[in-house]
Amino acid sequence: MAHRIAVIGGDGIGPEVTAEALKVVRAAGVDIDTTDFDLGGARYLRDGEILSDGVLDQLRGFDCILLGAVGTPEVPPGVIERGLLLKMRFELDLYINQRPFIGTAPGGSVRHDFVVIRENTEGPYVGEGGVLRKGTVHEVATQGSVNTWMGAERACRYAFELAMTRRKHVTLVHKTNVLTFAGDLWQRAFDAVAAGYPEVTTAYNHVDAACIYFVQDPQRYDVIVTDNLFGDILTDLGGAVSGGVGLASSANLNPARTGPSMFEPVHGSAPDIVGTGKANPTAAILSAALMLDFLGENAAAERIRAACAEAVTGSTSEIGSQIAARVAG
């Protein structure tokens, strides 16, 4: 039976790179049935639609969602991010953000793969907070971080389960010396989960130290688990130290499979290069490989990753075609 995939090409280069990702998936021999959804900044500017409850209900019926990129300069920051991306994360319970990286030690002599597991539905992103006396010299703004035991525990458990399939090491990253309430909850949840995985070794890093280690000593990591905000920052840094965010893939997962999971490249919509053929579709293709892993098409996903590991140049469509040809064999 074909896998049912909702495709949100989105804005800018999103549709271009998504088309190449689907080309490669089909070249890998995976049977997919795709349905396009017109969502993003351009759609919002046209008729005010961001993500209605009706469209959200339609998305629930798919196996996965493949997203290109969203956002246009004409739409104020936060409108699409909160109304589309965060709404899907919260409403579809995409509580795990998983991003794989290849870290390179200084000098480029040591390459090492690691994975960041970011809790994806809590922290400062839930919108807790407010403002008083806005626009005056006495303005006060607060932005709280909402953390629950359930949220931290299930993120940690996912990280430990993943580590069991890898090198059996998990590092918690937080700022427990300053964020004593949220940090304490995360540390206790981490320790409670770790007790059930005696084969897995553990470590803890403050987030500022982790930023240093990402650059200078990435080989110390196997699986990293962290909260929403720190994970957002660390994963962009991870992209920078592993070839650039233009090559970074990501998965927004509902491991319980009570709804579809979403897969997207980390890069933005890059409206300045739309139609020029300059967009590299590799991140979108690797995100599609993560999608295939989630769908149980592991052999096809591995072939795609192997094909992407070899150097490739050309226009957007040429890169996609070259990778597709490698995958098809």
Side-chain angles (χ1 to χ4, degrees):
M1 184 178 296
H3 302 293
R4 299 187 65 237
I5 310 299
V7 179
I8 304 174
D11 300 308
I13 62 170
E16 299 174 26
V17 298
T18 301
E20 300 309 311
L22 293 173
K23 178 196 295 183
V24 172
V25 167
R26 292 190 170 102
V30 179
D31 190 7
I32 56 173
D33 179 11
T34 63
T35 301
D36 291 319
F37 286 83
D38 180 15
L39 299 170
R43 173 68 185 276
Y44 173 73
L45 290 171
R46 190 167 66 250
D47 61 15
E49 168 75 16
I50 302 180
L51 178 61
S52 68
D53 291 341
V55 172
L56 184 62
D57 285 340
Q58 292 180 52
L59 292 174
R60 294 183 195 276
F62 288 85
D63 298 319
C64 288
I65 301 167
L66 186 63
L67 173 68
V70 292
T72 61
E74 298 82 6
V75 179
V79 173
I80 302 301
E81 292 85 349
R82 186 160 292 280
L84 178 60
L85 299 179
L86 292 185
K87 185 174 181 178
M88 283 197 290
R89 290 180 195 172
F90 297 150
E91 294 294 333
L92 300 177
D93 203 19
L94 307 178
Y95 65 87
I96 293 294
N97 179 262
Q98 179 172 328
R99 297 193 190 181
F101 300 104
I102 303 293
T104 303
S109 58
V110 179
R111 291 175 63 78
H112 182 81
D113 73 294
F114 61 97
V115 181
V116 176
I117 300 302
R118 164 190 171 190
E119 198 292 316
N120 211 30
T121 59
E122 296 187 350
Y125 292 23
V126 302
E128 191 277 337
V131 62
L132 295 172
R133 307 183 190 96
K134 188 172 183 178
T136 76
V137 296
H138 302 292
E139 182 172 342
V140 177
T142 63
Q143 194 81 56
S145 179
V146 177
N147 300 266
T148 69
W149 178 271
M150 182 188 76
E153 192 272 347
R154 66 183 182 175
C156 290
R157 188 167 302 280
Y158 183 90
F160 275 84
E161 286 289 327
L162 179 62
M164 287 293 292
T165 70
R166 292 172 50 87
R167 296 185 297 279
K168 298 182 180 179
H169 183 79
V170 182
T171 303
L172 172 64
V173 173
H174 210 279
K175 191 68 175 173
T176 56
N177 60 335
V178 175
L179 304 178
T180 54
F181 300 119
D184 177 65
L185 185 153
W186 269 89
Q187 185 69 69
R188 287 185 289 109
F190 182 85
D191 292 343
V193 173
Y197 296 84
E199 298 174 67
V200 178
T201 58
T202 63
Y204 170 81
N205 290 158
H206 290 324
V207 65
D208 43 348
C211 289
I212 297 171
Y213 298 142
F214 265 45
V215 176
Q216 296 184 347
D217 189 25
Q219 58 266 29
R220 70 169 53 215
Y221 294 121
D222 177 21
V223 178
I224 296 162
V225 63
T226 189
D227 79 348
N228 206 341
L229 177 59
F230 294 149
D232 194 358
I233 297 167
L234 284 175
T235 50
D236 280 353
L237 178 57
V241 301
S242 58
V245 294
L247 301 177
S249 59
S250 77
N252 299 275
L253 303 177
N254 177 335
R257 299 178 187 263
T258 57
S261 293
M262 180 178 71
F263 302 82
E264 60 175 324
V266 175
H267 61 66
S269 59
D272 55 320
I273 60 170
V274 173
T276 65
K278 294 180 180 179
N280 188 334
T282 303
I285 294 168
L286 289 172
S287 297
L290 290 174
M291 179 181 73
L292 295 185
D293 280 328
F294 194 74
L295 292 171
E297 302 282 358
N298 305 95
E302 283 300 323
R303 294 205 310 277
I304 291 173
R305 278 189 285 269
C308 290
E310 302 176 38
V312 61
T313 58
S315 67
T316 305
S317 61
E318 289 170 344
I319 291 173
S321 295
Q322 290 176 56
I323 293 174
R326 293 173 183 173
V327 169

